[in-house]
Amino acid sequence: MSGRYADGAAGLVRAKTGTLTGVNTLAGTVVDRDGRLLAFAFLANDTAGAEAAQSTLDKAATALATCGCRTR
């Protein structure tokens, strides 16, 4: 995962990737903007290419890192 998440989520996302032909996954934990630890699991099925799927899954994990999920 080093080298990924240079867009501000570096150090906040800890995850494991998985790749099969046409299937890409990313599962792990992320610390959100409010400091809460969130667990996630994403799966992309019938993907056209591993690089595009990986980029999309990374964006989803980054979105979790930037959200403020605390209820008031």
Side-chain angles (χ1 to χ4, degrees), residues 39-50:
F40 65 89
F42 302 129
L43 180 138
N45 189 33
D46 200 22
T47 60

Side-chain angles (χ1 to χ4, degrees), residues 35-56:
R36 294 176 60 165
L37 181 65
L38 306 175
F40 65 89
F42 302 129
L43 180 138
N45 189 33
D46 200 22
T47 60
E51 290 182 23
Q54 176 181 323
S55 176
T56 300

Side-chain angles (χ1 to χ4, degrees), residues 18-44:
T19 304
L20 296 171
T21 303
V23 179
N24 300 84
T25 62
L26 184 68
T29 61
V30 61
V31 177
D32 76 359
R33 186 179 65 200
D34 293 327
R36 294 176 60 165
L37 181 65
L38 306 175
F40 65 89
F42 302 129
L43 180 138

Side-chain angles (χ1 to χ4, degrees), residues 4-5 9-10 15 17 20 26 28 31 35 38-39 42 44 49-50 55 63-67 72:
R4 291 165 66 170
Y5 305 107
T17 62
L20 296 171
L26 184 68
V31 177
L38 306 175
F42 302 129
S55 176
L64 287 176
T66 60
C67 85
R72 304 215 191 271

